Amino acid sequence: MKTLARRLGFYVVALWAAVSLNFLIPRLMPGNPVDIMLSKLAQHGPVTPATRQSIELLLGADSGEPLWKQYVEYLGQLLHGDLGISVSQYPTPVTTVIAQTLPWTIGLVGLATVVSFVLGVGLGTLAGWKRGSWLDSFIPVTTMFQSIPYFWLALILLYLFGSVWMISPLNGGYDVYDTMPGWNLPFIGSVISHGILPAATIVISSVGGWMLGMRNMMVSTLAEDYIVTAEAKGLRPGRVMRTYAARNAVLPSVAGFAISLGFVVAGSIVTESVFSYPGIGSALMGAVGSNDYALMQGIFLVITLSVLGANFVVDLLYAVIDPRTRQRG
């Protein structure tokens, strides 16, 4: 319980620090969302001081208030679930924008991250167990794909499968002309067909790192005394590989997977930009371009919560995988 309490205390402090930085950083950027909104309104007629004041109150960007008071109001809004109004998608609330884009990113990047981790760890386990096999020799090829710039790999796949062979759609998250969003087979099929190529880009570019890391840890673990003892007892090779070798070799990969899983919410900005995918990464790009710091703050807050939550879950999972972590507490 003491270990759990210390970890909870650490994550609470980390959350407060992240929320404070989330408040400060957008306000240190050049530009003002109120001025952006007023410039749009000025195209339709003169803007009065009363209009400016009402927009400042609406966007929570009253430049006349001291920073500490804005910070207190910001914390109060967070406690009530109010993230403000998006300037780039005015008058849509930030919570609505996040709710519309977050499922797309979780479905695409989250599933692709899990697939690449499971596939990489599984193949890395076999490659480390059977050193010198064809699978072990195939690892340099997978790491080569990891070294290719992310956007370049996405463009190559998009050109080959979208333009040359025309197997996959070129952009978007679904067919906006022939399908109606909802839980129906045409829409689900369209979402899957539009997501296969972006997901393949993520898997191809990341599976090599998981394979290489797991393979190296397997080679190191197989030299431990307890592996030799298990083999001397006459245990089946499959049991030695899974229960003794892989279970201990996977620990560093689990820690890396926690970080990757936490940043799933951030989305793959490059992938979503290349494929024009309607995820939260595209929303973040639009918010940065429009100085929409209400939307930026909301997205950064969701990213922070996801990263801290994923790491906390993996901390608990570590105690199940490696009992030694419980003994240290």
Side-chain angles (χ1 to χ4, degrees):
M1 291 300 294
K2 291 182 179 180
T3 303
L4 180 60
R6 285 199 302 266
R7 289 174 178 173
L8 282 174
F10 166 78
Y11 284 111
V12 169
V13 174
L15 178 61
W16 171 79
V19 168
S20 300
L21 289 175
N22 190 28
F23 169 81
L24 290 173
I25 291 177
R27 284 166 172 77
L28 297 178
M29 296 176 61
N32 189 324
V34 177
D35 294 334
I36 296 174
M37 183 61 64
L38 290 177
S39 65
K40 294 179 180 179
L41 295 177
Q43 300 175 0
H44 305 283
V47 178
T48 63
T51 302
R52 180 182 182 89
Q53 183 179 4
S54 62
I55 293 177
E56 286 178 344
L57 294 174
L58 179 63
L59 299 180
D62 188 357
S63 57
E65 293 184 347
L67 194 61
W68 67 268
K69 189 174 182 180
Q70 295 182 39
Y71 179 66
V72 173
E73 293 177 351
Y74 172 69
L75 293 180
Q77 290 176 344
L78 287 184
L79 293 177
H80 290 86
D82 182 11
L83 301 179
I85 303 296
S86 172
V87 174
S88 58
Q89 303 187 38
Y90 182 83
T92 307
V94 170
T95 52
T96 302
V97 176
I98 294 176
Q100 291 173 348
T101 57
L102 187 58
W104 292 96
T105 296
I106 293 178
L108 172 67
V109 187
L111 183 60
T113 302
V114 172
V115 169
S116 63
F117 173 77
V118 173
L119 187 62
V121 167
L123 295 177
T125 300
L126 295 176
W129 181 256
K130 298 181 179 180
R131 292 181 299 249
S133 63
W134 69 268
L135 184 59
D136 193 16
S137 303
F138 185 69
I139 289 182
V141 178
T142 61
T143 55
M144 179 193 68
F145 285 111
Q146 190 177 17
S147 64
I148 298 176
Y150 205 73
F151 69 92
W152 185 246
L153 179 61
L155 289 174
I156 291 176
L157 294 179
L158 185 62
Y159 172 72
L160 292 177
F161 295 97
S163 298
V164 177
W165 297 319
M166 291 184 290
I167 299 176
S168 174
L170 289 173
N171 53 50
Y174 65 97
D175 191 344
V176 296
Y177 299 106
D178 298 331
T179 58
M180 181 67 66
W183 294 104
N184 55 79
L185 290 179
F187 176 73
I188 295 175
S190 179
V191 170
I192 293 175
S193 64
H194 281 74
I196 288 177
L197 203 55
T201 305
I202 298 173
V203 172
I204 292 173
S205 63
S206 58
V207 70
W210 298 118
M211 284 185 63
L212 181 61
M214 188 62 184
R215 184 263 181 196
N216 292 338
M217 287 303 302
M218 279 291 293
V219 171
S220 176
T221 304
L222 289 175
E224 297 291 339
D225 294 337
Y226 58 85
I227 300 295
V228 178
T229 303
E231 292 175 341
K233 288 181 178 180
L235 298 179
R236 295 191 305 272
R239 183 180 177 184
V240 175
M241 180 185 68
R242 294 189 302 270
T243 307
Y244 293 89
R247 182 175 180 177
N248 291 278
V250 79
L251 292 177
S253 297
V254 171
F257 178 65
I259 299 175
S260 300
L261 199 60
F263 280 104
V264 161
V265 177
S268 178
I269 297 178
V270 176
T271 300
E272 292 185 2
S273 299
V274 172
F275 293 98
S276 299
Y277 200 78
I280 203 167
S282 300
L284 180 59
M285 289 287 290
V288 173
S290 303
N291 288 325
D292 186 356
Y293 63 64
L295 182 55
M296 281 189 284
Q297 285 179 162
I299 294 176
F300 290 154
L301 179 63
V302 173
I303 294 173
T304 300
L305 293 175
S306 63
V307 172
L308 293 176
N311 279 273
F312 180 68
V313 170
V314 170
D315 276 347
L316 300 179
L317 184 61
Y318 248 97
V320 177
I321 299 177
D322 188 1
R324 294 171 296 182
T325 58
R326 296 196 297 266
Q327 298 173 1
R328 296 188 188 122

